[in-house]
Amino acid sequence: MRSALAALLGNEPDFVVTDTGWCQMGEPGRCPGSQVSVVDADCPGWRRHTDLYATPGAGVRGLADGAGGGRSAVIVLTSSGKPGNLRRAYAANALGFVNKDRSADRLPAAIRRVAEGKRFVDESLAVEFLQAADMPLTPRELSVLSLSAEGASVTEIARSLHLCNGTVRNYLAAITRKTGARNRVDAIRISRFAGWV
């Protein structure tokens, strides 16, 4: 998908496009002075990046800090029906939100608008934005659930988030209750479907 988007955007006469994977974003000189970064909301690297925003006192760096001395404005590509993706992206200060299930011809317009420092929201995502506001989980609960969804044990989650095991169990119980799930596995399924994790 990344290569296809780079090829599409490379046809725009006023764009200089760099095709970069998430793990290379921080490499010096990789994206010098990039104005706009386009990321897929389902990319594991982006999800780990947005999880940092849910951790109090994490001191999160900007998306492109260290890659060009500046900070890129972010456009997030997401599918319809995943309000959690929108909430996570909004919390991570993304400026653009584009539906990747629709025609890609909206992306250049979104990039130009975001490059001017203005917000761009694909109108087809309006309902999801309203649903995102109703997400029942706190940022800390999302962090716990995300780690659990990756297969981390209670002890591993506790160590990663600097919590005690009992606190993690309490969070998992609250997550199960708030999502209306039967158990932790069901909570992960429900949350994945909504795009929260």
Side-chain angles (χ1 to χ4, degrees):
M1 179 174 146
R2 191 176 74 233
S3 298
L5 283 176
L8 171 81
L9 296 174
N11 291 327
E12 299 295 321
D14 55 332
F15 288 1
V16 175
V17 180
T18 302
D19 175 3
T20 304
W22 189 267
C23 57
Q24 289 90 35
M25 281 297 293
E27 293 178 2
R30 186 71 180 184
C31 301
S34 60
Q35 285 183 279
V36 178
S37 295
V38 178
V39 298
D40 184 350
D42 295 320
C43 169
W46 169 250
R47 288 185 168 272
R48 280 191 294 276
H49 177 75
T50 56
D51 282 345
L52 292 175
Y53 284 86
T55 305
V60 181
R61 296 171 0 138
L63 176 65
D65 288 358
R71 187 179 167 123
S72 289
V74 176
I75 292 177
V76 174
L77 302 176
T78 185
S79 299
S80 294
K82 292 193 171 183
N85 283 348
L86 295 172
R87 183 177 175 122
R88 292 163 68 99
Y90 185 82
N93 299 317
L95 276 181
F97 306 86
V98 176
N99 188 340
K100 67 182 178 181
D101 296 329
R102 296 185 71 199
S103 172
D105 61 2
R106 299 190 44 80
L107 187 55
I111 291 171
R112 289 184 181 94
R113 185 163 178 86
V114 167
E116 295 173 357
K118 299 175 183 173
R119 188 170 302 283
F120 180 95
V121 180
D122 194 319
E123 68 272 3
S124 67
L125 297 174
V127 172
E128 278 84 1
F129 253 112
L130 294 174
Q131 291 171 338
D134 293 332
M135 187 182 70
L137 304 181
T138 66
R140 179 59 91 178
E141 288 166 345
L142 280 176
S143 294
V144 169
L145 187 60
S146 293
L147 289 169
S148 182
E150 292 173 7
S153 67
V154 168
T155 301
E156 290 168 335
I157 295 169
R159 189 179 321 117
S160 177
L161 299 178
H162 309 290
L163 301 170
C164 66
N165 288 2
T167 302
V168 171
R169 287 190 190 93
N170 288 341
Y171 277 126
L172 290 169
I175 290 164
T176 301
R177 185 183 73 254
K178 286 181 174 182
T179 58
R182 295 183 303 275
N183 51 43
R184 185 190 320 181
V185 174
D186 194 33
I188 291 169
R189 180 191 60 77
I190 290 166
S191 299
R192 279 188 169 148
F193 182 78
W196 297 337
V197 296

